[in-house]
Amino acid sequence: MDSLLLALSGDFLGTPVYFWIAFIAIVIGLLVFDLGILHKDDHEIGAKESLTLYGFYVAIAMAFGGWVWWQRGAQSGLEFFTGYLIEQSLAMDNMFVIATIFGFLSIPRIYQHRVLFWGILGVIAFRAVLIGLGAALVYQFSAILFFFGAFLVFTGIRMFRHQDETPDISENRVFRFITTRFRVTKELHGHNFTVMQPDPKTGKLVRWLTPLAVALIMVEVVDLVFAVDSVPAVFAVTQDTFIVYTSNIFAILGLRALYFALAAAMNRFRYLQTSLAIILVLVGIKIFLVPMGIKIDTLLSLLVTLSILAGGVLFSLWKTRNEPDISAEQQPKTGQLEP
């Protein structure tokens, strides 16, 4: 018993082991509750259910952040909430790309949650690798923060310049690679990611990917690409690996629940990308100043990020107040799935 208590009180990446165990237990519990109880059977998730689930995930994240504040002090608590808000802000653009993928592949809403749920497992793994690598780089070469900052500023400016462009999924390299290198069915087969069908040349039964599997692979790749922006952004707030990782995962869990409400009215958030671009530039400047010994107050960063995000949402809703809601499924497609 003494050895167990000693192990739990030990540190892993600068944080007591029991903090990590508590976090992992909460995430596993949420995933089991989500798939095993709430979505045991496939069904369409409406905007009301989506917003309710999002509120639930936000409440869990706030409670966890409050526990961090109580156990580790106000500074750690503020860093968690700021990192959480920054990740939520930047990952919203991710949600719109995912909606475009679902629309292009004609994935019905009844199966979209299945893709997003299994995609979370990839997020948990990939974010752990990226954050661990980023933390190691910052620890060994603090000057890497200059690169992170410059990259975020460049990305923010690029996002602002290309904010009106809609990605052409048919020309996407990942999509082209999957559809030319693997056997992919033209139609869905329920909620299955793969199916056994005859090979057109040999007639033997072989395994094919379904459009649902294509969607899952592309969603994972999209998240990995966006993580290259969002992970360095949180390092502008703190270099504490525990805070960076937990704030990222809680933010993604919440946004995946919010996805269905956002996707139901994609056109109503037309100007949100402008606020996200501004946040990226400001965060890039903030992280660029860290190696120079200039640290911007965490509470100020939290309030500024919240204000810019809220402003982007409210301005978008006001400017599009007379427009009908257009969902991802109603967006024009840019191509078709190839066998």
Side-chain angles (χ1 to χ4, degrees):
M1 179 62 71
D2 290 341
S3 60
L4 177 61
L5 292 175
L6 183 62
L8 291 176
S9 61
D11 281 0
F12 177 68
L13 298 178
T15 298
V17 173
Y18 71 89
F19 271 80
W20 290 102
I21 293 176
F23 167 70
I24 293 171
I26 292 172
V27 171
I28 292 176
L30 289 173
L31 294 178
V32 171
F33 176 70
D34 189 312
L35 188 65
I37 299 177
L38 292 181
H39 303 103
K40 186 176 181 180
D41 300 316
D42 294 324
H43 69 277
E44 291 190 16
I45 299 177
K48 182 178 180 180
E49 181 181 354
S50 176
L51 291 171
T52 301
L53 285 174
Y54 176 67
F56 169 73
Y57 278 109
V58 169
I60 296 295
M62 294 300 101
F64 185 85
W67 179 62
V68 170
W69 189 310
W70 177 51
Q71 291 287 323
R72 302 185 61 180
Q75 183 62 30
S76 293
L78 280 173
E79 289 173 353
F80 173 86
F81 290 124
T82 305
Y84 174 80
L85 183 59
I86 288 176
E87 176 59 33
Q88 283 240 333
S89 303
L90 300 183
M92 278 192 177
D93 200 35
N94 188 354
M95 296 297 101
F96 294 119
V97 176
I98 291 174
T100 303
I101 292 172
F102 283 155
F104 171 75
L105 294 173
S106 300
I107 306 297
R109 290 175 68 88
I110 192 173
Y111 299 135
Q112 290 176 8
H113 175 268
R114 182 173 173 81
V115 174
L116 295 177
F117 175 85
W118 291 108
I120 282 290
L121 301 182
V123 169
I124 292 172
F126 292 143
R127 293 293 173 112
V129 173
L130 286 175
I131 291 171
L133 179 61
L137 288 173
V138 171
Y139 179 77
Q140 294 291 334
F141 312 102
S142 60
I144 194 71
L145 291 174
F146 286 120
F147 172 77
F148 284 171
F151 176 74
L152 292 178
V153 171
F154 169 78
T155 304
I157 294 174
R158 186 174 182 274
M159 180 185 292
F160 182 80
R161 294 178 61 185
H162 299 278
Q163 59 182 317
D164 295 326
E165 297 179 6
T166 300
D168 187 351
I169 304 300
S170 64
E171 296 300 322
N172 181 272
R173 293 181 181 179
V174 176
F175 174 76
R176 301 294 298 178
F177 178 84
I178 296 171
T179 54
T180 56
R181 301 296 179 89
F182 298 93
R183 292 179 289 266
V184 181
T185 63
K186 290 185 178 180
E187 66 285 337
L188 289 165
H189 290 265
H191 67 197
N192 295 321
F193 291 112
T194 63
V195 65
M196 297 297 292
Q197 285 191 344
D199 185 282
K201 295 181 179 179
T202 65
K204 294 182 178 179
L205 284 177
V206 292
R207 189 167 298 280
W208 291 63
L209 297 179
T210 68
L212 210 64
V214 177
L216 176 61
I217 295 170
M218 294 192 69
V219 166
E220 293 285 17
V221 173
V222 164
D223 181 79
L224 188 61
V225 171
F226 276 88
V228 175
D229 296 338
S230 61
V231 169
V234 183
F235 276 110
V237 178
T238 178
Q239 285 79 60
D240 186 322
T241 309
F242 178 79
I243 299 296
V244 174
Y245 186 61
T246 55
S247 62
N248 258 254
I249 299 304
F250 276 118
I252 295 298
L253 284 171
L255 273 181
R256 291 294 167 92
L258 183 63
Y259 164 80
F260 296 95
L262 293 175
M266 289 182 62
N267 61 307
R268 297 298 308 279
F269 300 94
R270 184 177 305 151
Y271 301 96
L272 182 59
Q273 234 181 6
T274 301
S275 63
L276 302 183
I278 294 173
I279 290 173
L280 264 178
V281 172
L282 292 179
V283 171
I285 294 173
K286 184 177 187 298
I287 198 172
F288 196 86
L289 296 175
V290 171
M292 302 170 62
I294 303 174
K295 186 172 177 61
I296 298 176
D297 183 70
T298 304
L299 179 59
L300 177 62
S301 299
L302 176 62
L303 294 175
V304 170
T305 303
L306 182 60
S307 300
I308 295 173
L309 179 61
V313 171
L314 294 175
F315 182 74
S316 294
L317 294 175
W318 178 73
K319 288 288 288 185
T320 60
R321 62 191 181 280
N322 296 321
E323 297 182 13
D325 294 346
I326 299 177
S327 67
E329 291 81 1
Q330 296 172 300
Q331 295 292 320
K333 297 175 176 56
T334 53
Q336 62 181 14
L337 187 64
E338 299 178 3

